[in-house]
Each structure stands twice: as C-alpha cells, then as structure tokens.
Amino acid sequence: MKHTMLHMKLNSAVSIFAVAAAFSVLLPPSSAFAGVCFLPDCQDEDVMNGGGGNMNMNEDTAFCESKGFTYYASGQCPQYYAKVAECNRDDHYLKCDAQTWCKQNGYNTTSCSIPNYVDQPCPSYGSLYKGCKRDNDRACKETGFTKTCPSGQKLKKNSGRCSYDSSYGTCCKPSGCPAYTSLSSSSYGTNGTDGCEYACYYTCNMNCPSGTSTSNPGGCGGSTRNGCGTKTCYYPYQSCCTPSCTNQSGCSCGTTTVSDGCGGTCTRCASCCNSSSSNWCSVHSTCHGDCCTDGSIESCDTRCGGSGCSSGGGGSSSESTCPVVYTGNGSNLGRSCEDYYCYTGYRFCCDNMSHSICNTYAQPCSRLGGGCYFVTNVYCGGGYSGYSIYFCSGRDDNLFNVNG
C-alpha cells in the first residue's frame, strides 16, 4: 500500500506540473503568479495538499534500501526464493533468501558417506541437496579400483577387489601355470595358481591307474605310467614264469590257441587235414595222428578198419604196428608210451604235440570227441610224462573226432 501511495504522489505531481506549464504560456506575466514554484524548488511544499505536505518522494525508497531491502515490481520473491522480510514503508521492497526456500522444500543434505553421494541439488542453492544416492561405480573408481588392465595384466581373482562392486579390482601380471596344467577347468585336480589367484588345473591324470602304485613290489607283475607320463606305476607282485610256447604266424590251415604255462596263451598253427597230409587215412578219408603206415585195414587199429584188441588185453604181435589206439585192460610195458594199452573206452593223447613221442604215437587231446574226460597223466619211458588218459564213451572207432 505504501509503495502504491508513493507512486500516486509522483503521478499527481507530474500532472500539476503539466497544468502549470500550460497556464504559463497562455497568461501574461503577473505578480499574481509570483508564488508558483517548480521542482525542485518546491521542496517543502505539498502541491496536492495546498503546500502543507512533504514532497520528498524518495524518502521511503531510501529508507527501504538502507535497510537492505530489494525492490521487486511484482511484490513477490523470485522462483525458488523465500521471503524472509518486508519493508514496512513499501511492500514491494523485500528480503528474499534461496537457502531458506531450499530447506523449506526438503533440500537439507550437504554431504554423504561413500559409496553414497549427494543427489538432486537445490535449483537456487547448489550446496544443499535433496538426499544421498548410492553410486558403486563412482565409489570404486574414486578409491583406486578399475575394470580394465594394461596389456599383459588382469584383475586379481580374489584379493584387491572393490568392496562396493567386485567387478572392480587391482591389476596383476600373471606368472603362468606350472607344467601339465592350464587355466581350463578339468577333473584331474589343481596345482597352484597363475600368480593372480586363478587356479591351474591339471591337463592329464597325475595319479597312477587304479590297482597300481609307485612302490615296486618286485617279481614279474610289470608296470605302466600315469596319465601325464611322469611316474612309473607298478602292478601287484606276480611270480615270474617262462612261457612254454611262442606265437606262430603264416599258418596255412588256420590257428589254434594253447596255454603258455604262465596263465597266458599262444597261437599255434593247426594241423592240416587233406589227402596230401602225412596223417591221411584213405580207408576213412580223414586224418589221424599216427595212421597205419599204408592206410590199409588193420585188425588192431580201429581207425584203419580193424576191430581192436581182444578184451583180455596184453596186446598181440600185430598191435606193435598200431601203437596209438588200443583196447584192452590197461597195461604199461614200461618201455615207452607206445606200449600203453587200455580197456575199451579209454584213450591216451598229448596236450603238447611238439614232443617227438607225441608226434609219432599220439593224437592231440583237442581231437577227442564229446563225452571224454581227463583221468590221469601217463609217465612214459625216456622221462617224458606228456601222455594224458581220457575216458570216452561210445565205440572205440568214434573216439577221435578229427573233423571237429
């Protein structure tokens, strides 16, 4: 109201001055107008009140400004400023404060603790903020951590990581993995790290195979190597044994498998059975281990068409020409294997045909037909016990199945 009145004073004064100037042009000079004054000569007279008022229109302005007030034409403080005082002589003179407005509108934060940072500054007072906001990236960077390392380096895997964000850490130059290891995961276990705390995994099995050990038990059990080839791994103890045979190759009539006497086997050539073989019997059109010399019918040798020895045994003069297959009561004349006679149903044969006695007088035991079973070994003259006694059911002339 005071400010409005002050400006009304100024407007009225201007109007009077204009009228007075107009009359001074139309009227001649007269002493009657000697009392008319013009600004600033009318300092002590109030034109609007018959000269009895105060015409110093700058007095309120000077007063308000001297008290630190600022004139605002709108009578209001600017945006984001709070009115903290008003001049009592003119309500357009105000004191406005940005900090007060900010605090009144929730901007009361001045600082925060890491990893939080001040957020949303007050528009008119930049040191006041709405609140705090967490910023892990900024916190890690400001505390010396990084996500990228120079060439040849990488972040440590565990230690040296930022507590606010573990993707930030400290750089490390790796020293490399030990031999037989790499950074690729495997099931063979680990061996140290690469110098930057990353595990080094074995690329091969460092352990010995199951059932072996690095301690040598002696004997002939043999050994092998671990998966990486760095250790000798020994099998359990086994007694030593010399095999009784060796493998044969280039066999024209196939092969057969025989025991090597040490728990293993050997591959041997099978006997050929055709008309060109030395043991071919034309009477039966088949092979025999020691067929009669001319292949003709012999009364003793059932393989050559004979009826066999008498049930009384003991042999006969004719039996000496057929020394392998006999019937009889089982008599050993004590000279050599060819003198052994058996009751009907018994046969003797050789497991190892490499001995000369077997080659001359016996069939291989593998040629015995079905229904035969082992009875005992036979000691032969000359210190050889290679004959075996088998009992076979059926007729004597069917005991050897040479085609089987």
Side-chain angles (χ1 to χ4, degrees):
M1 183 64 180
K2 294 183 180 66
H3 182 79
T4 303
M5 292 177 64
L6 177 61
H7 285 274
M8 288 176 64
K9 292 177 182 179
L10 292 173
N11 291 334
S12 299
V14 172
S15 299
I16 293 172
F17 296 153
V19 172
F23 275 101
S24 65
V25 174
L26 299 174
L27 299 177
S30 170
S31 59
F33 297 95
V36 178
C37 64
F38 298 92
L39 289 175
D41 296 328
C42 301
Q43 293 182 3
D44 298 325
E45 293 183 12
D46 188 341
V47 176
M48 295 178 64
N49 295 298
N54 180 10
M55 287 300 293
N56 187 0
M57 293 175 291
N58 294 323
E59 181 179 349
D60 291 346
T61 299
F63 173 81
C64 291
E65 290 179 351
S66 68
K67 298 299 183 180
F69 292 93
T70 301
Y71 174 74
Y72 295 97
S74 65
Q76 296 179 347
C77 289
Q79 187 180 16
Y80 308 124
Y81 281 77
K83 184 174 73 173
V84 296
E86 179 182 302
C87 183
N88 58 7
R89 294 192 181 184
D90 191 333
D91 58 6
H92 281 67
Y93 277 89
L94 309 171
K95 287 184 178 179
C96 300
D97 185 67
Q99 185 176 10
T100 300
W101 184 93
C102 292
K103 290 184 176 181
Q104 290 175 347
N105 287 273
Y107 293 89
N108 297 302
T109 302
T110 58
S111 63
C112 301
S113 298
I114 192 169
N116 298 303
Y117 295 88
V118 289
D119 184 51
Q120 299 182 46
C122 183
S124 57
Y125 198 81
S127 59
L128 285 175
Y129 298 83
K130 199 76 171 180
C132 296
K133 183 178 181 181
R134 189 180 182 95
D135 190 339
N136 291 333
D137 285 334
R138 178 179 174 183
C140 289
K141 291 175 182 178
E142 289 185 353
T143 51
F145 296 97
T146 183
K147 278 189 174 181
T148 58
C149 294
S151 177
Q153 298 186 28
K154 60 183 179 181
L155 295 176
K156 287 185 177 180
K157 183 177 182 180
N158 300 313
S159 65
R161 292 286 176 154
C162 179
S163 60
Y164 311 121
D165 185 345
S166 60
S167 65
Y168 285 86
T170 54
C171 294
C172 168
K173 186 174 182 179
S175 57
C177 285
Y180 304 105
T181 65
S182 74
L183 295 176
S184 299
S185 178
S186 76
S187 60
Y188 300 126
T190 61
N191 181 21
T193 71
D194 67 344
C196 291
E197 304 172 351
Y198 293 84
C200 295
Y201 295 87
Y202 280 111
T203 56
C204 50
N205 194 347
M206 291 295 290
N207 299 320
C208 283
S210 177
T212 66
S213 72
T214 55
S215 298
N216 188 353
C220 295
S223 64
T224 185
R225 305 285 286 179
N226 67 337
C228 295
T230 58
K231 299 176 183 176
T232 300
C233 306
Y234 297 92
Y235 291 104
Y237 174 84
Q238 290 184 8
S239 59
C240 295
C241 176
T242 302
S244 61
C245 61
T246 58
N247 292 330
Q248 294 179 337
S249 60
C251 301
S252 60
C253 294
T255 61
T256 183
T257 301
V258 297
S259 171
D260 66 356
C262 295
T265 59
C266 292
T267 299
R268 306 301 302 271
C269 291
S271 299
C272 295
C273 186
N274 52 52
S275 59
S276 62
S277 300
S278 60
N279 58 356
W280 179 261
C281 271
S282 59
V283 174
H284 299 292
S285 297
T286 187
C287 294
H288 292 276
D290 56 349
C291 190
C292 298
T293 304
D294 57 3
S296 61
I297 296 176
E298 296 286 346
S299 61
C300 170
D301 194 343
T302 57
R303 295 172 304 162
C304 297
S307 60
C309 297
S310 65
S311 60
S316 66
S317 60
S318 63
E319 290 173 349
S320 62
T321 62
C322 302
V324 175
V325 180
Y326 302 106
T327 60
N329 60 0
S331 173
N332 189 333
L333 302 183
R335 295 190 300 274
S336 63
C337 291
E338 65 267 26
D339 294 322
Y340 198 92
Y341 302 96
C342 296
Y343 285 114
T344 298
Y346 287 87
R347 292 286 185 236
F348 59 89
C349 57
C350 282
D351 293 311
N352 186 349
M353 299 299 295
S354 64
H355 196 278
S356 60
I357 293 178
C358 292
N359 284 334
T360 304
Y361 300 111
Q363 284 277 8
C365 293
S366 61
R367 291 185 179 275
L368 288 176
C372 300
Y373 64 88
F374 175 79
V375 177
T376 185
N377 288 323
V378 181
Y379 178 80
C380 303
Y384 180 69
S385 58
Y387 276 173
S388 297
I389 296 295
Y390 280 78
F391 176 78
C392 304
S393 62
R395 288 175 54 83
D396 291 340
D397 56 357
N398 292 324
L399 294 180
F400 282 94
N401 182 6
V402 296
N403 295 316

